[in-house]
Amino acid sequence: MSQENLDALKRLYADWAVGNWSDTSVFDPHVVGVFPDPTPRAHYGLEALGEYMRRFLESWDDIRMEATSYREAGDSFVVWVRRTARGSGSGVQLEDGSIHVWTFRGRRAIRMELFDRETEALEAAGLSE
Amino acid sequence: MSQENVEMVRRGIASVDVFWAMLDEFVVWDLRGNPIGVDLDSVYVGRDAVIAASRHYWGTWENYSLEAEEIVDAGASVVIAVHERMRGKGSGVPLDRQSAQTWTFHRGRIIRWELFQERAEALEAAGLPE
């Protein structure tokens, strides 16, 4: 199961790396996205998550998210992500890194959490030292 | 970790206060697989909403008891075959029903609580088809 879920995540990030955001098959309809905003804020359901992503994507041109590393933690996965983009209108270049923690129930992702700090992401996945 | 989850289920089944304390801030209670009536919605999100809704559900009954007849370790999730026995408040009508649930844990908290009519449905949802 976890290998299948990891493969599904790799396919998703391969799409995101080339700017293809349309495949939502890995997500449970009632997925919860938790993003720093600046304190953690939850977005419930695929529709809300999609709306969040739409607003985010509209702020940037030519945005890419490339997974650089994966680590398994039970039914969760930690994914290190490199993000590049150009500000919509401003032309400002963005290049930064973040860490995504995914939790699956069966074959569907039921939670996606985004962290700026690796220590927090590892703790969230139960991998802290 | 998954054996810890099974132990947490045992404690949560034994005490509703312990159960509520296990709920994650962003927990989802999904009743789509087993709409249990008493004017509940199909999905609740967030700990406060889940506590309020489940308090409403359990407050509908008197002499309510919940027994875990089987607990199955499914990694981050635990599948529970449950047996409820209760009596309608006011009506006094007894009700006895068996169903199944999954509790999915993350960081020692329940992040997803799902209800199913059949044990097989819960097992399949947790990635353990019979």
Side-chain angles (χ1 to χ4, degrees):
Chain A
M1 181 62 67
S2 60
Q3 184 59 48
E4 292 168 351
N5 291 340
L6 178 59
D7 291 343
L9 274 186
K10 286 182 174 177
R11 285 194 297 273
L12 183 75
Y13 280 103
D15 280 347
W16 288 4
V18 295
N20 180 3
W21 309 94
S22 59
D23 184 4
T24 60
S25 59
V26 75
F27 294 98
D28 182 87
H30 292 279
V31 64
V32 175
V34 183
F35 306 115
D37 199 18
T39 57
R41 181 166 168 237
H43 301 263
Y44 294 106
L46 193 49
E47 196 174 320
L49 197 57
E51 180 58 29
Y52 176 88
M53 286 293 285
R54 262 190 297 279
R55 278 190 281 112
F56 176 75
L57 294 173
E58 281 169 7
S59 306
W60 301 96
D61 288 331
D62 199 27
I63 185 163
R64 302 280 190 267
M65 285 194 209
E66 181 187 359
T68 57
S69 182
Y70 296 85
R71 186 166 167 189
E72 188 177 341
D75 284 355
S76 295
F77 298 93
V78 182
V79 185
W80 281 260
V81 177
R82 191 173 71 90
R83 189 170 61 178
T84 58
R86 192 174 62 250
S88 194
S90 71
V92 171
Q93 290 289 330
L94 168 78
E95 180 165 355
D96 66 6
S98 62
I99 303 107
H100 300 174
V101 176
W102 295 80
T103 302
F104 283 75
R105 201 275 283 121
R107 298 289 300 278
R108 294 282 180 266
I110 61 172
R111 182 169 294 202
M112 176 198 180
E113 293 172 90
L114 192 151
F115 296 90
D116 295 324
R117 296 181 181 169
E118 183 177 272
T119 51
E120 293 174 358
L122 292 175
E123 184 182 352
L127 292 172
S128 52
E129 300 298 327
Chain B
M1 182 62 75
S2 55
Q3 188 55 40
E4 288 176 22
N5 294 341
V6 169
E7 288 307 314
M8 290 181 75
V9 166
R10 291 189 205 284
R11 294 201 300 273
I13 290 284
S15 164
V16 68
D17 289 321
V18 171
F19 172 73
W20 282 335
M22 289 179 192
L23 299 177
D24 183 82
E25 181 183 1
F26 306 126
V27 63
V28 173
W29 185 19
D30 186 344
L31 300 87
R32 290 171 298 158
N34 188 15
I36 50 180
V38 294
D39 51 303
L40 288 174
D41 293 339
S42 58
V43 176
Y44 290 90
V45 293
R47 181 170 53 217
D48 292 346
V50 171
I51 289 175
S54 56
R55 187 193 300 277
H56 170 68
Y57 172 70
W58 286 315
T60 307
W61 313 103
E62 56 188 20
N63 297 328
Y64 181 90
S65 73
L66 178 69
E67 178 189 358
E69 296 189 323
E70 184 184 13
I71 300 176
V72 179
D73 176 5
S77 299
V78 179
V79 177
I80 315 150
V82 298
H83 192 163
E84 292 177 290
R85 297 178 180 87
M86 59 275 208
R87 190 176 294 275
K89 232 175 210 173
S91 72
V93 174
L95 187 60
D96 184 308
R97 65 181 168 197
Q98 291 168 289
S99 59
Q101 306 184 359
T102 62
W103 301 8
T104 302
F105 290 86
H106 184 49
R107 273 179 276 170
R109 301 277 180 195
I110 298 167
I111 62 169
R112 180 69 70 99
W113 174 27
E114 290 164 283
L115 307 188
F116 300 90
Q117 292 183 343
E118 303 291 338
R119 173 182 174 277
E121 295 166 340
L123 286 169
E124 184 175 0
L128 294 176
E130 288 188 298

